[in-house]
Amino acid sequence: MQLYLSLSAYGGVSTREALTIFWNAGIRYVELAIGPRPDTDSAQAVEDFRQQGMVYRAHHAFVCSARHYPFNLAQPQDWKYFERLADYLASIGVTAYSVHGGNFCKTTERVLAYTTFVENIHRLHRVCLMRGIVLGVETMYPTLTNSTVENLLDNASELAQFCQDVPQVKIVLDLAHLNIWRDKTEILLNEWLGLPPEKLLEIHISDNDGRQDIHSRITDNTWWLSQITNFPKGIPLVLESRLNRLPVSVVQQEYDRIVALIVSF
C-alpha cells in the first residue's frame, strides 16, 4: 500500500520546512498541494528532496513558486499556464496529477458551468497526455446553503454523467467529500469503490463533521472505515488530515497510525 501525505496537511510554513518535517518522520510519498507558503525556494525544495528519494504526486493548484495560481475549471483558462505546469510536473518525474471539479456562482446555470468544465478537462487531459501524466478529477461536495457558489461533481448522478462524458480521465475518490454528499450511504460508497481499478487515480482520506470539508483526523467513528476491505488493491491513498505545526514525532505517529489502521482490516 502506498500512503501519500498531502502537503495540505502541513500548511502555513514553507515547502522546505514541510518537506523536512515529512522526511524526518520517515515519509517518502508526498502529494504536492496547496497549503505551504509560496516562496522562491519552493521548486528547489521539491527538487532537493526528490534527489534524496522522495516520490511525488500533484494535486490541483499546488504551490511550486513564489506566487500561487488558483484556478477554477468551470471557467475559461490560461492554457499557457497549464502547459508550464505540466512541463514542470514532467521535469520532476510526476506522472499523476488531479484537479478539483469546478465551482460556479449560484446565479449561473449549472449546465453551462458543467459544459465549460468538461471542455476544459478534455483539453487538460491532452496537455497531460502529451507529457506522460495521468489526469484525475476529484469528487466534490455540496456547499453550505449560505454559500454563493456550488461545486460540480457534488452528487452521484453528476459524477456518473461525468464518467460517461470523459471516460479517458480517472476519478479521485475523496471519502471526506462523500461524507458531505446529501445522498450519502455506505451502499453508494461501496458502488464507487467498486469502480474498476484502472478508472481510479487515488483515494483521499480524512474526516469531517458531515457539513464542511475541515480535514480532521480519522477516528474509530469515521464513516468509511467499515468499507476499508472494499478498497481496490493497488490504488494509492492520500492522507489529508491537518497536522499543522505539530512536531516530527506526532506527524510520524499519525502517519504510522493510519498505515496500521488500514492494514489491520
Side-chain angles (χ1 to χ4, degrees):
M1 180 196 67
Q2 289 182 344
L3 177 64
Y4 285 74
L5 183 56
S6 172
L7 274 180
S8 66
Y10 211 87
V13 300
S14 70
T15 296
R16 185 173 297 277
E17 183 174 345
L19 291 178
T20 299
I21 292 288
F22 289 8
W23 183 267
N24 290 339
I27 295 160
R28 300 296 180 262
Y29 295 100
V30 173
E31 182 153 271
L32 305 177
I34 186 175
R37 293 196 310 261
D39 62 47
T40 56
D41 180 53
S42 293
Q44 188 60 53
V46 168
E47 176 60 20
D48 289 347
F49 281 97
R50 185 182 76 87
Q51 291 184 9
Q52 292 185 62
M54 196 165 269
V55 178
Y56 299 116
R57 301 168 83 83
H59 181 58
H60 203 62
F62 62 93
V63 171
C64 62
S65 67
R67 181 181 171 191
H68 179 237
Y69 293 86
F71 59 83
N72 174 11
L73 286 167
Q75 298 175 348
Q77 300 299 312
D78 173 7
W79 290 101
K80 291 295 183 183
Y81 164 74
F82 283 105
E83 290 168 3
R84 293 193 302 270
L85 185 77
D87 285 340
Y88 171 70
L89 291 177
S91 75
I92 60 171
V94 169
T95 58
Y97 174 55
S98 59
V99 293
H100 294 169
N103 61 65
F104 60 98
C105 179
K106 288 184 176 179
T107 59
T108 302
E109 288 189 34
R110 188 180 190 101
V111 65
L112 295 178
Y114 177 82
T115 299
T116 300
F117 175 65
V118 168
E119 291 172 352
N120 283 332
I121 290 298
H122 275 293
R123 187 164 180 178
L124 182 56
H125 173 259
R126 292 194 295 270
V127 169
C128 290
L129 186 64
M130 292 174 61
R131 294 158 176 84
I133 299 168
V134 180
L135 178 66
V137 173
E138 183 179 19
T139 55
M140 298 303 290
Y141 55 90
T143 56
L144 296 173
T145 54
N146 61 354
S147 174
T148 60
V149 300
E150 291 184 18
N151 291 325
L152 296 171
L153 307 188
D154 66 351
N155 63 86
S157 59
E158 190 167 74
L159 181 59
Q161 183 63 53
F162 178 78
C163 290
Q164 292 184 20
D165 292 338
V166 197
Q168 68 273 35
V169 171
K170 297 198 176 191
I171 298 298
V172 174
L173 284 181
D174 188 309
L175 301 186
H177 289 182
L178 267 61
N179 190 41
I180 309 173
W181 279 17
R182 297 194 173 98
D183 54 355
K184 175 196 73 178
T185 64
E186 289 197 4
I187 294 175
L188 184 64
L189 173 61
N190 194 31
E191 289 176 355
W192 285 107
L193 288 172
L195 283 175
E198 61 271 17
K199 184 63 180 173
L200 289 173
L201 183 69
E202 60 196 32
I203 299 173
H204 291 186
I205 57 174
S206 64
D207 205 351
N208 56 47
D209 58 3
R211 298 180 65 250
Q212 298 183 77
D213 188 34
I214 55 178
H215 291 246
S216 54
R217 293 202 207 179
I218 295 161
T219 72
D220 291 341
N221 295 321
T222 297
W223 80 287
W224 47 262
L225 283 181
S226 62
Q227 298 294 320
I228 284 181
T229 55
N230 295 323
F231 280 21
K233 305 303 182 198
I235 301 300
L237 305 179
V238 180
L239 178 60
E240 295 186 315
S241 301
R242 298 202 190 283
L243 302 168
N244 302 49
R245 309 290 182 174
L246 295 174
V248 170
S249 59
V250 177
V251 173
Q252 182 176 20
Q253 289 168 10
E254 181 64 8
Y255 181 87
D256 291 346
R257 181 180 75 87
I258 299 305
V259 170
L261 178 67
I262 293 169
V263 169
S264 69
F265 278 82

